[in-house]
Amino acid sequence: DFLLRVPAANPDSGNTTESSESEDEADPAGPVNPHDPDEPAVPSSPRMNLPVAATPLFCSTIGMLSRSPFKSVTAPVATSGAALRSSQGDEGDGETCSICFEPWTTSGEHRLATLRCGHLFGYTCIDRWVKGQGQGAKCPQCNKKAKRSDIVLLYARKLRALDNTEQEDMKRSLEQEQSMRRNAELESAQCRLQLQVMTDECGKLRKQIQELKTLMVQPGCRPSKNSGASLSGLSQRQDSTQGGHYVFSKAVLVSQAGGCRVLSYCEPLSCLLASHPSPHTTLVPGYGVKKVSTVNFKACQYVPIHVKQIRGLAFNRQADSLLLSAALDNTIKLTSLMTNTVVQTYNTGKPVWSCCWCLDNNNYVYAGLSNGSVLVYDTRDTSTHVQELQPLRSRCPVASLSYVPRASSSSFPCGGLIAGSLEGGCFWEQLDGTTYRPHILPLETGGCTDIQVEPESRHCLVTYRPGRSNPSLRCVLMELNRTLQQDAAQEPSCSCYPVQTFSAGSSCKVLTKNAVFRSPAGEGSTLVCAGDESTNSTMVWDAGSGSLIQKLPADLPVLDICPFEVNQGSYLASLTEKMLKIYKWE
């Protein structure tokens, strides 16, 4: 009983022997005397608590205790301390110093501190640690170099790390799935385009086989010169539909001083219209259009329209020879080419960069302004615009406007307006009348110079100027699609996906206009034409295969391209600052 009341040794003195002050603390439920369990505990006496030195009696007694059942008195103490530290490590993670395993405080000497590596410690502990290691001090946890100036005090009551491993894994898997989905949609769009081309070719072959069968079943039909001529003509027709190329036909001087900008074709009058400054600036100042007849390919007449440079020309589907023009003089005008007079003028208040007609309702026209807005005008209302479509992102000038007509049997049945600016594109879906719903197109931010639409195939051609990531001019053919939402209450979303990419030269100093249209070689195939400033030529690609068909040379950079048909012949016109070059498909 006397030996059990010996005070515990000081941990700082180096003695690691642990003992309890009383038998009640050591084993409160057990007896004192292991030989007589029923004997009550003897009360302690203050006189018995004497300091014990390292005497033989004390050493022998310690040896007896090590062999006696009392050796289990100190075991629970050590075990409980380890368990306490383990429980604190599990439950108090982020609350204790990793050096002394004591909780850090919000103030005082043991307040929360960190090193440059980000591990947390008590200030006194990490300061003593770094000071003790000297110049080669390292972090106790990651062994990165540390010094006293790296110690930073943190002001936090409690720190707990949220386990977001599953969330990050889900994000990575979602990104992978989205990337795979985009690749699958791209492959699907390319396959649909190739399937469309092959289906059209199959239809043509079936038609030719039917013609051959009809020719063979005719009475009295036998091999002769005429039948041989028919078969040879049919084979020649088949070869001509499978391939062809453009041949230079005529070059027309439009403006001796230069300044030509945009080009358009008037089908009722069979003439091309090229914008340029007035040839007689003193008598008739301003800008207008030059008529070029497609019968003899000769410039015939100049029509003055605007005061400043013309940026857009467009015709409607009514074949009424009514020209819509947009210029930098803050106006759009309707000009009758039958009388060569301006019949209607609308003041927009801002410079106009582009214009187009509504192909679903010829009473509406659109004007793209320099502040990014699109004004909707009703030709029956001569006062002002009926609606303004505000830009959703930046206020860059609307460089191009193209209308997509409605189609009932297409995967993209929506009708609306595609507005392209330097920062991207937006599809304004026309719901009814003057109600529009915007859809941001997933285009590259910055560098978009032009967007053209092929109405039948529902493809759009997006042109990007050279940049740091892509040093060449790129024309990306995209397919418009309509995606249903998971929630039936939400409206379907309209978007586009790239199908083919065509690369041109490394120079693009002027905002040029390109073209995407049906190939004269046969139904189903599509051609893409773009001007190349580096070589002063017009490049023609096959949209189905992505291969370059030919390069049409020019003297100056090509600014605008316009395909047209006259007398059952297919032509292509390219406009430079001075000249108009015309090519025929053969």
Side-chain angles (χ1 to χ4, degrees):
D1 190 18
F2 162 74
L3 293 176
L4 290 176
R5 286 181 174 83
V6 176
N10 189 2
D12 297 336
S13 62
N15 189 0
T16 58
T17 304
E18 296 183 2
S19 62
S20 60
E21 294 183 1
S22 66
E23 64 275 22
D24 295 335
E25 295 179 358
D27 190 4
V32 176
N33 189 358
H35 302 285
D36 191 2
D38 297 330
E39 183 179 354
V42 180
S44 60
S45 175
R47 290 175 298 175
M48 302 297 292
N49 297 332
L50 300 177
V52 180
T55 59
L57 177 61
F58 180 78
C59 296
S60 61
T61 307
I62 292 299
M64 294 173 61
L65 284 175
S66 62
R67 296 188 299 271
S68 67
F70 285 96
K71 62 183 179 182
S72 62
V73 175
T74 59
V77 177
T79 305
S80 62
L84 178 60
R85 287 192 298 269
S86 176
S87 63
Q88 288 181 355
D90 294 339
E91 299 179 358
D93 188 15
E95 299 179 3
T96 59
C97 175
S98 59
I99 298 178
C100 65
F101 297 102
E102 294 292 335
W104 50 58
T105 60
T106 59
S107 60
E109 296 182 353
H110 201 257
R111 66 185 304 171
L112 182 61
T114 182
L115 294 175
R116 293 183 62 181
C117 58
H119 292 105
L120 304 177
F121 311 94
Y123 177 75
T124 53
C125 295
I126 191 61
D127 183 67
R128 189 185 304 113
W129 178 278
V130 174
K131 187 186 300 182
Q133 291 190 354
Q135 296 293 334
K138 296 181 179 180
C139 174
Q141 293 192 7
C142 63
N143 285 335
K144 287 188 178 180
K145 291 185 179 181
K147 51 186 178 180
R148 295 190 64 185
S149 60
D150 295 338
I151 303 176
V152 179
L153 297 178
L154 299 180
Y155 300 88
R157 293 178 177 271
K158 201 172 190 179
L159 291 179
R160 286 189 181 274
L162 180 63
D163 187 6
N164 61 341
T165 306
E166 296 183 359
Q167 183 179 1
E168 294 297 327
D169 293 341
M170 293 298 293
K171 285 183 178 180
R172 284 192 294 269
S173 62
L174 178 60
E175 292 176 357
Q176 294 177 358
E177 291 294 334
Q178 289 177 348
S179 177
M180 295 173 60
R181 178 182 177 183
R182 285 193 295 267
N183 295 333
E185 289 176 347
L186 175 60
E187 294 178 359
S188 176
Q190 293 177 351
C191 292
R192 284 197 299 269
L193 184 61
Q194 295 176 1
L195 177 62
Q196 184 179 2
V197 174
M198 298 302 295
T199 303
D200 294 335
E201 291 182 359
C202 183
K204 290 185 294 183
L205 292 176
R206 288 179 179 177
K207 185 177 179 180
Q208 293 170 5
I209 293 174
Q210 189 66 30
E211 291 179 0
L212 287 174
K213 289 181 178 180
T214 305
L215 182 63
M216 295 298 294
V217 299
Q218 289 180 357
C221 179
R222 61 180 182 271
S224 62
K225 295 182 179 180
N226 295 331
S227 61
S230 301
L231 293 175
S232 63
L234 186 60
S235 62
Q236 288 177 3
R237 224 173 21 248
Q238 178 180 356
D239 294 339
S240 65
T241 54
Q242 288 182 353
H245 61 282
Y246 283 106
V247 178
F248 176 73
S249 179
K250 188 70 177 292
V252 181
L253 179 63
V254 180
S255 175
Q256 186 69 32
C260 298
R261 185 67 184 182
V262 290
L263 182 66
S264 185
Y265 175 67
C266 180
E267 185 176 357
L269 299 181
S270 297
C271 67
L272 290 168
L273 301 174
S275 68
H276 68 93
S278 173
H280 307 286
T281 56
T282 56
L283 299 177
V284 185
Y287 288 76
V289 293
K290 175 75 66 77
K291 290 183 179 181
V292 178
S293 175
T294 56
V295 178
N296 53 10
F297 298 117
K298 291 184 178 181
C300 53
Q301 192 175 9
Y302 171 78
V303 181
I305 301 178
H306 289 275
V307 178
K308 293 184 178 180
Q309 187 185 49
I310 299 175
R311 299 302 296 266
L313 298 174
F315 287 94
N316 58 14
R317 287 185 171 182
Q318 288 184 348
D320 54 1
S321 304
L322 198 61
L323 173 65
L324 173 66
S325 59
L328 301 180
D329 57 359
N330 302 349
T331 61
I332 61 172
K333 294 185 179 183
L334 296 175
T335 304
S336 175
L337 296 180
M338 299 294 293
T339 60
N340 296 332
T341 56
V342 176
V343 297
Q344 182 63 39
T345 301
Y346 293 101
N347 189 1
T348 60
K350 299 287 184 180
V352 188
W353 282 53
S354 56
C355 64
C356 73
W357 288 82
C358 177
L359 301 182
D360 292 326
N361 189 346
N362 292 321
N363 293 323
Y364 294 100
V365 296
Y366 304 96
L369 306 185
S370 60
N371 61 351
S373 300
V374 178
L375 299 182
V376 185
Y377 288 92
D378 190 347
T379 57
R380 297 165 294 185
D381 185 1
T382 60
S383 58
T384 182
H385 61 275
V386 295
Q387 189 177 1
E388 181 178 1
L389 306 179
Q390 295 285 346
L392 300 181
R393 291 181 176 176
S394 61
R395 292 187 170 272
C396 292
V398 181
S400 61
L401 285 178
S402 300
Y403 191 88
V404 182
R406 293 187 179 92
S408 57
S409 61
S410 174
S411 60
F412 187 80
C414 307
L417 181 71
I418 294 182
S421 65
L422 298 179
E423 295 297 330
C426 178
F427 174 69
W428 294 90
E429 181 184 0
Q430 186 179 19
L431 302 179
D432 53 352
T434 58
T435 304
Y436 296 86
R437 181 189 295 120
H439 301 274
I440 297 296
L441 298 180
L443 305 182
E444 298 178 11
T445 57
C448 179
T449 61
D450 181 56
I451 300 179
Q452 298 294 328
V453 175
E454 206 290 307
E456 297 182 8
S457 63
R458 325 296 283 181
H459 287 80
C460 61
L461 183 67
V462 183
T463 305
Y464 297 100
R465 64 170 50 179
R468 294 182 179 178
S469 58
N470 295 283
S472 61
L473 179 72
R474 291 175 299 126
C475 297
V476 182
L477 185 65
M478 294 191 171
E479 181 184 9
L480 298 172
N481 62 356
R482 186 169 180 260
T483 306
L484 299 177
Q485 300 293 337
Q486 296 180 356
D487 189 0
Q490 297 181 357
E491 296 293 336
S493 63
C494 299
S495 182
C496 61
Y497 293 93
V499 178
Q500 291 284 1
T501 301
F502 313 95
S503 298
S506 59
S507 176
C508 182
K509 299 180 181 179
V510 185
L511 298 180
T512 60
K513 293 185 178 297
N514 301 323
V516 52
F517 55 93
R518 289 290 186 176
S519 173
E523 297 180 357
S525 58
T526 305
L527 294 182
V528 173
C529 297
D532 184 9
E533 288 188 10
S534 59
T535 59
N536 291 340
S537 61
T538 302
M539 306 185 72
V540 183
W541 293 279
D542 182 13
S545 61
S547 59
L548 178 64
I549 298 178
Q550 60 185 135
K551 295 180 68 174
L552 307 177
D555 298 332
L556 296 173
V558 178
L559 302 178
D560 200 352
I561 301 171
C562 179
F564 63 95
E565 294 183 0
V566 177
N567 297 330
Q568 298 181 352
S570 299
Y571 296 86
L572 184 69
S574 62
L575 179 67
T576 64
E577 290 187 0
K578 298 181 180 181
M579 300 292 295
L580 178 65
K581 288 196 172 184
I582 301 172
Y583 303 87
K584 185 179 180 180
W585 179 268
E586 294 183 355

